[in-house]
Every structure is written in C-alpha cells, then in structure tokens.
Amino acid sequence: MISQPHPQDDGLWYKDAVVYQLHVKSFFDSNDDGVGDLPGLISKLDYIANLGVDTIWLLPFYPSPRRDDGYDIADYRGVHPDYGTVADVRKLIRAAHARGLRVITELVVNHTSDQHPWFQRARTSRPGSAARNFYVWSDNDKAYAGTRVIFCDTEKSNWTWDPVANAYFWHRFYSHQPDLNYDNPQVLKEVLAVMRHWLDMGVDGLRLDAVPYLVEREGTNNENLPETHQVLKRIRAVIDSEYPGRLLLAEANQWPEDAQEYFGNGDECHMSFHFPLMPRMYMAIAQEDRFPITDIIRQTPDIPATCQWAIFLRNHDELTLEMVTSRERDYLWSVYAADPRARINLGIRRRLAPLLERDRRRVELMNSLLLSMPGTPVLYYGDELGMGDNVHLGDRDGVRTPMQWSPDRNGGFSRADPERLPLPVLMGPLYGYEAVNVEAQQRDPHSLLNWTRRMLAQRRQTHAFGRGTLRFIQAGNRKILAYLRQWRDTTILCVANLSNAAQPVELPLQAFNGRVPVEMLGGTPFPAIGELPYLLTLPPYGFYWMDLSAEAAPPGWHASAPERMPELVTLVLRGHANAVLTDGSRQTLETEVLPEYLARQRWFPGATPPARVSLAYATPFGAGRAESSGAGGAEYYWA
Ligand code: BGC
C-alpha cells in the first residue's frame, strides 16, 4: 500500500491540504449565551484534527450587523463580541498550529457594511473628495447598465439611493453592502493594512471574497476586468515579499477560463474555487452519465504549477447554478429542488445529505469524487455527519444551523435556552440532533463520520490526489467514470459507477500490463492487468480507488489461465490422405483441432478461435512420413 513521504517543503502545502469550512457562530457555544464562539471552537479543535483535515476556513467573525451573516463587515480588525476577542483569535491560531492545523480567514475585499466608518464618512463627505470616493457613487441609477444582479431574489438594481449623500451608491450584493472603489488608491492601501493585520497574527491564508467585481468600467459587464487583476497582483506582491508561504484563495464564481485568470501567471491567487465542476458532479449522478464531469474538466485550462483548484460539494451559500446553462439549471432545480422553498437566487439552499435523499451510497460516491478529483477538497462542517437543513429559515441560514454534537439539549451545541440560539437546531426525526450527532457517530464504526475519517486517512497516504495529473479512461459504458491520477511513480485508478444499478466496465489499461491494482480502502490486490481490457464490476453507486502497483503480488487464488495443452488426436484415414475430407476425421479436425490451433498462431487476427473452420483440400505427406499398418491398407497420420 502506498504511503509517500511528504514532498520537500516546497511552500505548496495547500496542494496537499484538506480544508474544513465552519462558522464560529454555529460550531460550539462555550459560555452558554446561545451563540458559538472562539473558545468553543478551540475546545473542538481535537475533533477537527481527528477528522483528518489539516486546514480550517473560518467564515467572517468580525464586528458586523450580520445582515449578510458577517460578510457585511463594520470593522475589519475586530471580532464580533458574541464570538470573543482578538486575543481569542490569537489563542485559536496557536492552538490550531499546535495540532498541525492551518487557519484561513476571510478578507472581504469587494464591499463593506453600510455601517462601516468608511461608508459613514463617505456619505457625509464632499463629492469628489478622497473620503467620499472610498465607494462608487452616481447621480443616477443608469450607469454600468450591462451588469447582472447577483442576489436577484432580493435586489432589483445594483444602485441604491443614499439620502444622506444625495447620490446612488454601487453594490453587487445587498443594498446595505456598498462596493469599495479601487480607483481610489487609498482603498487598496487600507485593504493591504487589514491583510497585514491578520497575517501578522499568524493566519495561514485569506479567502478573497467576491473578487471578480472589484473594478467597474462603463460598457463592460464589470466582471473579471484587467484592472481587477492588477489589484490582485498588488495584493499578491505583498504576500510574496512579506509573507511567503501564506495563501490567497479566490472566490470567483466564473467559468473555468475566467476563473483560471485569478491565478495570473502564478502572480495572483494561489488557489481558486472551481465553481463549474460542483453542479456537474450532481448532474452526473442524476443523469447517470459521466459526460458533465468529463466535459467540464476538458474545458478547464492548465494552471500554473504553483496553483491549485479548490473543489467542494457544498458550502455556506446556496448550491450555485450560475455556471450552468439555463436548461441545465432547470434540470438540476427539478431534480434537487422540487420544493420551490429550496430555491434561492440562482441556486439551491440545501445540504449534501438532503440533496441526495440520505442515500448513503450516493453521499459516499460524491465524497469519493470530491476527494479524488484534481484540487484541494473543502468539506463543509456537519456534512461529515450527514446533517440536514431547514428551508423554512430565511436567506441561506437553513444550511448554517448549529453543529450537532450529541443527543443533549440543543444538540450539545449550547446549554442556553433554545430560544436564545440565533438559528434553531434541527429537530426532525430524520436529520434532528437526536438522529444525527457526533457522539453517536463516533461510537458507530459504520457511521458516515467514521467512514469520512477512513477516507481522509487513505487520501493522506498519497500526494497523487492533491498534486497528480488526471487522465480520463474512455470505457464503453458511459455510466462509469474512470480516471487515472498520476504523480511521480504512483498511479491511482479511480472508477465510479454513477448509476443506480450494478455496472460492468472494460477498461483499456493495457499500458499497465503486469501491474496489480490494489483496492486502497480494503488493501485487496486484484488480478494483474494483462493485454486484454480490464473487466471490473461495480455495485450501484460503487467506486474504487486502486493503486496500480508495480510491486504488489496478485491474489494467491488467482493463477493466470494455464496454456491448454494441444490435444493428441488420432486420425484414421482409410486409403488416401484425401480421405480426411470425407472421413469422420474431418469433423474432428474442423471442430476440435484447427480452431484452437489457429487461435494460438501469432499471425492469426484476434485471440478467440474462429467460429467455423472448413478443410478445402488435403496434401499427402511424402513417403516415410506415413506409417502403413498393412492391415486393410489404412494409413495413420498424426496431427
Ligand atoms: C459570500 C456570501 C455573501 C456574498 C456577499 C459571497 O461571496 O460567500 O455568503 O453573501 O459574498 O457578501
């Protein structure tokens, strides 16, 4: 079984990482006020480390009116008092590092809350002044008309009238989140200062929220503009010169060719989310066809060697369907969000387990894809348990409910009275905390939690998943997705049955003739690969990760089929050799001897014996090759 040494410390730690995304508010409440907090999170770090991830991504914990769950920041340098203090953040980082966990936090670069002092100052400042120009203003709401509205369920325009400023301000998200103006050099200066503030505290990486929208230009759609990339290059330059080894992760919900631009030439972000892959994984299992996945990966350009995609199945937002065609969106909505309450904006506000109807096989299959596709996997807290959601809550709150730790009050999340919790704990018979919780799943060797741990432990054995190349294998059966992940001398074969029924597949693996596939989760060697297509059968929604080992021995019970000894046949030809054409021996030759003989000849096309052989004529051997018995004049020939 493979177990590879860590590549030399090349500063590319994020390529081998597995990220666990969580909300401090919803993780664990240490002071029983009903709200999760930083000391609570610190007390649960062992749980996270034992899960087998190595990086935590924290949703915003800064002072905020929380009208966009903290992405509406009112003070970039502080901590929301409900969650703790800046000193607690320091403690958290130290405690995480002590357990080998890295910490990524949010740098919300596109907008602030309208409560931020910069905005309060801007709206009362003289038009045209530097303070006013921290944000984007207009006398009318007609500018930048070609720009889409992202939160289309709530907002009708990207402009909102501010009666104090007597002008419209620009916002790509909620109307209480004015966009910062990067045409004002002061803005980037301030943002860099905020960045240094958190990096100095020891955070290992920053997720750059909503990066495609930093700069606006008339006549464009105001996404991915070259000026925006210039801003990112300046941010990256600071990382490279002052904080080498730290990470920038772009949130750019774009098509692959636009998203990859956030890597620049290796001089913008180290990582970027692969948004279009995610809905296509759901599409592939709904349609029982690998095409959506192979197609989007083929459309994905190569990226600089130091860069990496971040891949995910779910996160704190809706399952976004922005990066699919409208026909695909309708299809995904009808399959995964038949209940209109599950839909929001251009997406679906559901967690992984309910999306897959608590079908453990599909949950495992999707996780196996997540953990073996090219990129760094990001797991969303609670999905390792199969937690559910609550579509009756507003906005995307239904996927942000408290972590379910035990069957105790509030799911063990808090000892406060339940009505004090900002979001209610799930209580239903299928997904409620009595049915789904950490304590029970820790005791159950077959739980999803323990399965996830085993998968993560297995993934850590090799760098092929994080760093290797990917090559699809074109098998005839399209319900099977098969691909090779290759890194240095390791090759892993991943095979996934996307369908609801058992499937056979023949894989053209002749290039690996002689290698022994070792199924990685169970360590079982399979028969060696030969010159023929390799036959596998998979149960419904089954998958295999197989190390194509050059060293492992094939299973003891499997001997390659012994060469069939040519059978000795006695032909009795009465009279002349031509009797072979008329005698009963002809049938023996045509049906038993020659088909097998022909199939073994090098020059014969194909390895299977011909269906029919017929003798056209016979030439007698020369004198002395035949023996005459004398009796009855019969001659005996040996074939
Ligand atoms: C975050 C969302 C947030 C939005 C606006 C996004 O990219 O992931 O949760 O609502 O930014 O702040």
Side-chain angles (χ1 to χ4, degrees):
M1 185 64 28
I2 40 182
S3 178
Q4 294 170 334
H6 208 279
Q8 277 175 340
D9 191 7
D10 53 8
L12 306 180
W13 57 270
Y14 45 87
K15 289 199 168 211
D16 302 311
V18 177
V19 182
Y20 187 73
Q21 177 195 359
L22 67 90
H23 205 329
V24 173
K25 176 179 91 172
S26 298
F27 210 58
F28 187 68
D29 170 20
S30 71
N31 60 1
D32 300 331
D33 64 355
V35 187
D37 46 44
L38 290 159
L41 170 57
I42 294 172
S43 72
K44 295 295 185 187
L45 285 177
D46 285 336
Y47 167 81
I48 297 174
N50 288 335
L51 182 59
V53 302
D54 51 31
T55 304
I56 312 175
W57 157 24
L58 302 178
L59 293 174
F61 50 75
Y62 317 104
S64 154
R66 286 200 301 228
R67 295 174 68 194
D68 182 19
D69 210 12
Y71 281 95
D72 47 334
I73 296 176
D75 169 9
Y76 277 111
R77 289 181 168 79
V79 170
H80 195 293
D82 282 354
Y83 304 151
T85 62
V86 171
D88 290 331
V89 178
R90 281 184 213 283
K91 272 190 220 152
L92 169 71
I93 294 170
R94 263 201 309 274
H97 286 174
R99 289 165 176 79
L101 296 168
R102 289 188 162 92
V103 179
I104 297 176
T105 55
E106 291 274 351
L107 190 62
V108 182
V109 280
N110 180 66
H111 49 267
T112 68
S113 159
D114 59 8
Q115 300 306 302
H116 195 289
W118 297 342
F119 188 74
Q120 294 303 324
R121 190 182 57 188
R123 66 203 303 214
T124 52
S125 296
R126 189 174 44 78
S129 64
R132 174 80 146 211
N133 285 344
F134 256 58
Y135 296 86
V136 181
W137 300 97
S138 170
D139 292 336
N140 61 65
D141 60 358
K142 301 290 175 277
Y144 307 141
T147 312
R148 71 186 167 122
V149 173
I150 297 170
F151 285 170
C152 53
D153 280 3
T154 336
E155 303 296 338
K156 295 289 159 262
S157 165
N158 289 313
W159 291 109
T160 287
W161 175 253
D162 181 39
V164 177
N166 251 322
Y168 289 93
F169 65 89
W170 178 251
H171 55 88
R172 290 307 302 273
F173 295 95
Y174 286 121
S175 53
H176 53 78
Q177 286 169 311
D179 273 29
L180 287 162
N181 175 15
Y182 281 86
D183 285 330
N184 177 351
Q186 288 299 317
V187 167
L188 181 56
K189 213 169 139 205
E190 288 290 348
V191 166
L192 291 176
V194 171
M195 179 171 104
R196 289 188 177 100
H197 172 80
W198 292 107
L199 292 173
D200 286 343
M201 213 174 290
V203 306
D204 301 281
L206 296 162
R207 172 185 179 269
L208 301 181
D209 183 64
V211 275
Y213 323 116
L214 300 187
V215 178
E216 302 75 30
R217 290 290 177 265
E218 199 54 78
T220 73
N221 68 357
N222 289 310
E223 302 194 4
N224 316 315
L225 298 186
E227 293 85 347
T228 289
H229 288 288
Q230 286 311 315
V231 172
L232 290 170
K233 286 185 202 301
R234 294 190 52 198
I235 294 177
R236 173 62 181 266
V238 173
I239 296 280
D240 285 348
S241 66
E242 298 172 34
Y243 303 96
R246 314 289 181 97
L247 164 84
L248 293 176
L249 164 59
E251 191 223 10
N253 187 353
Q254 301 288 325
W255 290 96
E257 64 271 26
D258 293 325
Q260 58 99 23
E261 292 197 353
Y262 290 86
F263 299 122
N265 297 314
D267 58 355
E268 292 188 27
C269 295
H270 307 76
M271 294 218 291
S272 181
F273 286 99
H274 199 312
F275 275 93
L277 173 61
M278 179 272 301
R280 284 170 180 80
M281 296 199 240
Y282 290 95
M283 177 99 82
I285 59 165
Q287 296 183 333
E288 305 197 342
D289 192 317
R290 66 183 176 222
F291 178 75
I293 295 176
T294 55
D295 186 46
I296 201 68
I297 295 283
R298 275 196 208 99
Q299 290 178 44
T300 302
D302 288 341
I303 61 176
T306 53
C307 296
Q308 176 85 327
W309 293 108
I311 52 180
F312 60 104
L313 296 173
R314 286 299 296 114
N315 62 20
H316 64 296
D317 287 328
E318 68 274 31
L319 188 168
T320 166
L321 301 177
E322 282 159 278
M323 293 306 126
V324 296
T325 63
S326 43
R327 184 191 284 204
E328 290 167 334
R329 184 177 311 124
D330 285 343
Y331 175 78
L332 287 164
W333 260 335
S334 70
V335 174
Y336 291 108
D339 177 352
R341 281 171 305 194
R343 303 180 188 184
I344 184 172
N345 300 321
L346 292 186
I348 302 173
R349 48 178 173 182
R350 306 224 70 176
R351 268 185 179 267
L352 180 65
L355 281 165
L356 303 175
E357 299 164 317
R358 292 174 72 249
D359 182 347
R360 176 76 181 261
R361 301 167 307 170
R362 278 188 285 169
V363 171
E364 291 186 3
L365 176 64
M366 289 289 273
N367 274 306
S368 84
L369 295 179
L370 174 71
L371 298 181
S372 62
M373 283 266 138
T376 291
V378 181
L379 276 59
Y380 186 51
Y381 83 94
D383 282 351
E384 74 275 23
L385 306 174
M387 257 174 69
D389 51 46
N390 183 351
V391 292
H392 302 279
L393 297 177
D395 201 344
R396 292 144 292 172
D397 283 347
V399 300
R400 300 170 180 178
T401 58
M403 180 72 172
Q404 297 171 191
W405 293 103
S406 74
D408 300 339
R409 169 163 39 126
N410 299 321
F413 159 74
S414 169
R415 297 190 50 75
D417 291 339
E419 53 272 25
R420 293 191 64 188
L421 271 50
L423 294 175
V425 184
L426 299 187
M427 284 179 282
L430 295 184
Y431 296 104
Y433 61 83
E434 291 184 335
V436 177
N437 64 69
V438 172
E439 189 181 299
Q441 293 205 15
Q442 272 173 335
R443 287 171 50 186
D444 174 2
H446 309 291
S447 65
L448 183 60
L449 173 62
N450 279 321
W451 178 87
T452 307
R453 281 189 181 141
R454 289 194 291 275
M455 288 293 283
L456 291 173
Q458 198 53 62
R459 194 181 186 280
R460 280 199 302 277
Q461 300 299 307
T462 173
H463 301 287
F465 291 129
R467 297 182 179 236
T469 56
L470 173 135
R471 185 155 64 82
F472 288 115
I473 299 176
Q474 293 307 325
N477 185 347
R478 285 172 54 134
K479 293 179 193 297
I480 300 289
L481 173 69
Y483 47 102
L484 296 169
R485 301 301 317 274
Q486 229 157 350
W487 188 70
R488 298 192 178 161
D489 51 7
T490 300
T491 303
I492 295 176
L493 166 69
C494 303
V495 192
N497 175 6
L498 304 168
S499 96
N500 192 18
Q503 296 293 330
V505 63
E506 288 185 329
L507 299 167
L509 291 175
Q510 289 87 336
F512 297 94
N513 192 349
R515 298 259 190 131
V516 172
V518 180
E519 198 280 323
M520 290 166 61
L521 296 177
T524 306
F526 275 49
I529 297 167
E531 283 176 0
L532 302 180
Y534 197 76
L535 172 72
L536 284 174
T537 55
L538 289 100
Y541 300 123
F543 71 91
Y544 297 133
W545 290 354
M546 292 175 145
D547 173 23
L548 300 188
S549 171
E551 288 97 40
W557 52 263
H558 184 264
S560 46
E563 274 272 304
R564 240 190 87 189
M565 292 296 289
E567 216 141 319
L568 206 56
V569 177
T570 306
L571 300 175
V572 183
L573 306 178
R574 295 179 193 284
H576 193 263
N578 266 343
V580 81
L581 294 177
T582 51
D583 203 88
S585 297
R586 174 184 188 142
Q587 196 189 349
T588 312
L589 270 176
E590 288 183 342
T591 60
E592 290 179 38
V593 179
L594 288 175
E596 292 270 344
Y597 171 79
L598 291 172
R600 282 201 303 272
Q601 303 314 301
R602 287 235 191 115
W603 44 263
F604 186 76
T608 41
R612 190 166 161 269
V613 174
S614 64
L615 282 174
Y617 61 89
T619 307
F621 292 131
R625 300 279 308 270
E627 287 175 31
S628 170
S629 73
E635 292 175 314
Y636 297 83
Y637 289 81
W638 302 101

